[in-house]
Amino acid sequence: MAQQTALADIRGEGEPKPDSAVVRDALGVGVAVGLSGFAFGVTSAGSGLGLLQTCALSLLVFTGASQFALVGALAAGGNPFTAAAGAFFLGVRNAFYGLRLSQVLALPRAVRPLAAQWVIDETTAVTLAQPTRRAARIGFTVTGLSLYVLWNLTTLLGALGAKAVGDTDAWGLDAAGPAVFLALLAPMLRGTTERAVAALAVLLGLGLLPVLPAGVPVLVAALAAPVALFVSGRRSGRGRDGAPDDASGQALDDASGHASGKASGHASGKAPDDTPEET
């Protein structure tokens, strides 16, 4: 069943969805998230980055969580290289998104380098939610375009208005970055493994914050993912090596009953009934 769903995504099969509905959903995501660029502009300017540096981050990097992580580490007095490393590892996830979207969208080669700039959490979520390739392409394009334009525009406005705002800590805007990131992350924590990774990452990050330089706890917290996946894999392995599951146990019972029936038939001199029952 999962294989059929994957093929439907790649080949563009499935029930058509009106283009207007796809555009509406995509615009809703693009506008809602794009407006949070204002918070990044204010936070970046408040951390000491100039107007051109702040705008360049949104234009070239364009991945909100990485941008907030970078300016947050710099504002806390972290080493620029450590801050950049933390932002880089947060942005690596987009490369894996690209592997999936390349199959779903199947864009021409000339367009792919431009489309790669828009491969982020929001465009991936909207694209994969569409039933056909046409709807996926529309969703990706509308989400990426609206979000990119609004994010950069509000970043500029936020950076320009940072002086008028004054102390971002007094307004509570220093918490805007983590709040936006948590809002994007929360819907993804559906399974036990995802929640375990998040909980362990929080414990590592907060526990090491007082003893490690700014930016380093974020890198260490990334170890939560392989640790949780390793433990989950070990538990799954023990489950497979232990008692047979219900399906295999039922198969053994059926085989035993079938063999007993044959033996009884031979003992009574009757031919065993191998005719399958009608369903």
Side-chain angles (χ1 to χ4, degrees):
M1 190 68 180
Q3 184 179 5
Q4 293 177 354
T5 303
L7 290 176
D9 289 338
I10 295 173
R11 296 178 179 177
E13 300 173 356
E15 291 187 14
K17 184 177 182 180
D19 294 348
S20 59
V22 180
V23 172
R24 182 192 63 232
D25 296 342
L27 280 177
V29 174
V31 172
V33 180
L35 293 176
S36 61
F38 182 83
F40 170 73
V42 174
T43 305
S44 178
S47 67
L49 294 182
L51 176 63
L52 292 179
Q53 292 173 317
T54 299
C55 292
L57 279 175
S58 286
L59 285 168
L60 302 177
V61 178
F62 187 55
T63 170
S66 298
Q67 294 177 229
F68 276 114
L70 176 63
V71 299
L74 292 176
N79 184 284
F81 294 102
T82 304
F88 171 79
F89 283 111
L90 281 176
V92 165
R93 70 190 187 282
N94 294 333
F96 296 98
Y97 294 161
L99 294 175
R100 177 65 175 133
L101 293 185
S102 64
Q103 297 178 324
V104 176
L105 297 173
L107 297 174
R109 290 184 178 273
V111 181
R112 292 177 187 177
L114 299 175
Q117 179 68 358
W118 292 352
V119 177
I120 54 176
D121 298 318
E122 294 77 18
T123 55
T124 301
V126 172
T127 301
L128 296 182
Q130 307 309 320
T132 64
R133 175 164 289 164
R134 173 182 172 81
R137 288 179 172 178
I138 294 175
F140 177 82
T141 303
V142 174
T143 306
L145 179 61
S146 59
L147 182 51
Y148 189 77
V149 172
L150 272 177
W151 180 268
N152 282 279
L153 179 60
T154 53
T155 294
L156 174 62
L157 294 176
L160 290 174
K163 293 183 180 180
V165 172
D167 186 10
T168 56
D169 292 346
W171 288 83
L173 291 178
D174 56 318
V180 172
F181 183 70
L182 288 177
L184 296 175
L185 179 65
M188 302 179 186
L189 305 180
R190 298 176 180 176
T192 304
T193 302
E194 290 85 351
R195 293 170 184 169
V197 171
L200 182 57
V202 170
L203 291 176
L204 288 174
L206 294 180
L208 297 175
L209 190 61
V211 297
L212 293 179
V216 177
V218 176
L219 300 179
V220 179
L223 297 175
V227 170
L229 291 175
F230 175 77
V231 173
S232 177
R234 290 291 298 272
R235 289 180 177 177
S236 300
R238 285 199 297 267
R240 288 192 299 267
D241 294 338
D245 56 16
D246 294 339
S248 60
Q250 182 65 36
L252 289 175
D253 292 341
D254 292 343
S256 299
H258 189 61
S260 300
K262 281 190 174 183
S264 300
H266 285 301
S268 61
K270 297 181 180 179
D273 185 9
D274 290 335
T275 305
E277 296 181 358
E278 293 183 1
T279 55

